[in-house]
Amino acid sequence: MSLIAPPLSLYIHMPWCVKKCPYCDFNSHGLRSEPPPYADYIDHLLADLDADRADFAATLEGRPIVSIFFGGGTPSLFSAELIARLLDGVRERLPLQADAEVTLETNPGTVEHGRFDGYLKAGVNRISFGVQSFDDDKLRRLGRIHSANEAEAAVKSAQDAGYENINLDLMYALPQQTLDGALADVERAVALAPAHISHYQLTLEPNTAFAANPPPLPDDDHAWAMQEACEARLAAAGYGQYEISAYAQPGRRCVHNLNYWQFGDYLGIGAGAHGKLSDAVSGQVHRRWKTRHPRAYLEASGGPARIGGDNVVGADELPFEYMLNTLRLIDGVPMAAFAERTGLPPQRIAAALAAARQRGWLHDDPQRLHTTALGQRFLNDVIGGFLA
């Protein structure tokens, strides 16, 4: 089987935030007394991109960027002018698809009034708000720096600036949260009429403050009840679930995240950013990640020391990596896509597919790979069946 190069995205990591949240395991660094070197960081991002383009020139040839995602940290700590300078630099270096989706993550407490106009003018056409909850007590427990009213005001400000493609991040199963409380958060989110809602369970990740000192969280049965009730409310409001934690109005699915979940390709620039590239000539899937700490990344200045690691994904690992992404999609993916995205013959997963279908975790569909409702609930077990 021959590997076919999939769509290509660009991920840009902005590592600073005002304050590190106790549940966060992302590569983010709270602000200290000295302000971060925001302008210098833009220069280093472009140098990083130049170096990656040189390293992967043949793999990138003729492939337009379908989406760009600014993640963090809190990218909205960077001014609209700096974001514009970076996007201009990206356009000079890479071909962008005419309708490329460009998302910028923001927290409601870090956007100055009027800045949304500048982001829109710079080319950012999608805004993602880290709201997490509309309950001020829960926001305090999560270490957030905004209030519920500030979150609503920020969303309305973006809408007033002309943004129609807006995502709200919401968590459930929060410390001492009830089912009514989880539904109340969804109600306030729906009232703002965003195009997209990401609704995911709070989990205790290793090496976080919450892992070291766990708060009182709802048990698994209560968390599952919240998930089911919130799914039903979102569906009633017109938000179709297309991934385990993603809900969208018609035509508003997130292009960037869909490319991840469909095992697409992406360049990753910035401190700690990860990338994945498929080489149709060699048939290899290559992963690269950048050095994590902002200071070390800046000191590397686009040189080899910016690279935290490189790895060619082995044939034994590819089935698991593929399923880790694609089985999150409610509608799944075409069965033929496995061979196209991995370069492996379907026989490599035949036994694992049969076992998952026998347990009722996967639909018995020769044309499409997708989980049943039971499979979605036990997704980790389904994916684990494809480990080498």
Side-chain angles (χ1 to χ4, degrees):
M1 305 298 294
S2 60
L3 183 150
I4 298 173
L8 178 66
S9 296
L10 173 65
Y11 175 74
I12 303 172
H13 193 74
M14 313 304 237
W16 293 287
C17 55
V18 174
K19 175 188 171 189
K20 183 85 170 178
C21 296
Y23 58 84
C24 177
D25 68 338
F26 296 153
N27 183 34
S28 57
H29 303 262
L31 297 181
R32 303 190 183 281
S33 54
E34 286 292 315
Y38 294 124
D40 284 350
Y41 191 73
I42 298 297
D43 294 335
H44 287 82
L45 286 170
L46 291 173
D48 188 0
L49 181 57
D50 283 336
D52 274 2
R53 285 170 60 236
D55 290 346
F56 300 113
T59 305
L60 298 174
E61 182 68 31
R63 300 172 67 186
I65 298 294
V66 300
S67 65
I68 299 174
F69 196 100
F70 290 91
T74 305
S76 56
L77 289 174
F78 287 73
S79 70
E81 292 75 20
L82 288 176
I83 296 296
R85 179 153 69 85
L86 178 55
L87 285 175
D88 286 344
V90 170
R91 293 186 194 98
E92 291 168 3
R93 291 163 170 81
L94 294 169
L96 262 63
Q97 196 166 278
D99 60 348
E101 177 191 87
V102 182
T103 301
L104 183 126
E105 286 187 330
T106 181
N107 286 328
T110 60
V111 180
E112 298 168 10
H113 181 69
R115 188 178 280 188
F116 289 115
D117 296 4
Y119 290 138
L120 193 61
K121 189 181 295 184
V124 175
N125 52 33
R126 184 174 184 271
I127 293 287
S128 180
F129 283 100
V131 174
Q132 313 313 357
S133 176
F134 287 98
D135 181 319
D136 285 338
D137 174 66
K138 298 296 181 281
L139 289 169
R140 282 191 292 271
R141 288 171 178 266
L142 292 173
R144 307 299 287 171
I145 63 170
H146 66 272
S147 68
N149 288 339
E150 286 171 336
E152 289 184 341
V155 174
K156 290 173 182 175
S157 178
Q159 291 168 333
D160 290 344
Y163 276 101
E164 297 177 356
N165 201 358
I166 291 174
N167 170 65
L168 303 186
D169 281 347
L170 278 185
M171 286 183 175
Y172 67 93
L174 303 179
Q176 296 183 325
Q177 188 177 46
T178 63
L179 175 59
D180 286 344
L183 282 169
D185 275 348
V186 169
E187 291 290 350
R188 290 186 71 172
V190 166
L192 291 167
H196 191 284
I197 294 175
S198 298
H199 185 253
Y200 53 98
Q201 183 176 350
L202 172 64
T203 54
L204 302 183
E205 301 294 343
N207 304 314
T208 62
F210 270 5
N213 187 21
L217 299 181
D219 62 27
D220 289 345
D221 288 340
H222 284 91
W224 181 250
M226 290 178 193
Q227 181 179 332
E228 285 194 311
C230 291
E231 278 179 14
R233 179 65 191 96
L234 287 164
Y239 292 87
Q241 184 184 18
Y242 66 101
E243 186 265 348
I244 292 296
S245 59
Y247 303 77
Q249 292 178 347
R252 292 298 196 180
R253 295 182 176 187
C254 178
V255 173
H256 190 86
N257 287 340
L258 265 177
N259 196 34
Y260 287 157
W261 296 323
Q262 292 170 343
F263 212 55
D265 280 359
Y266 48 98
L267 284 166
I269 59 172
H274 283 241
K276 166 190 169 283
L277 289 172
S278 306
D279 188 332
V281 176
S282 68
Q284 293 181 326
V285 175
H286 187 103
R287 291 198 178 276
R288 167 175 286 184
W289 55 98
K290 305 299 168 59
T291 187
R292 285 178 58 85
H293 200 280
R295 186 182 303 110
Y297 177 82
L298 288 164
E299 288 172 354
S301 190
R306 79 192 190 285
I307 300 172
D310 273 307
N311 179 46
V312 172
V313 184
D316 287 343
E317 303 167 89
L318 274 172
F320 173 76
E321 289 219 10
Y322 181 81
M323 299 300 173
L324 186 64
N325 290 278
T326 57
L327 290 185
R328 294 182 64 90
L329 293 168
I330 303 302
D331 295 335
V333 290
M335 194 63 74
F338 173 77
E340 294 171 356
R341 298 288 164 97
T342 65
L344 299 175
Q347 292 89 332
R348 290 296 289 263
I349 56 171
L353 285 177
R357 285 170 176 154
Q358 187 174 21
R359 291 182 173 92
W361 291 343
L362 292 177
H363 289 284
D364 191 7
D365 183 346
Q367 303 302 319
R368 197 159 189 87
L369 177 67
H370 54 136
T371 53
T372 61
L374 183 66
Q376 290 168 26
R377 184 163 189 182
F378 295 99
L379 189 59
N380 288 339
D381 296 304
V382 185
I383 296 167
F386 293 89
L387 280 166

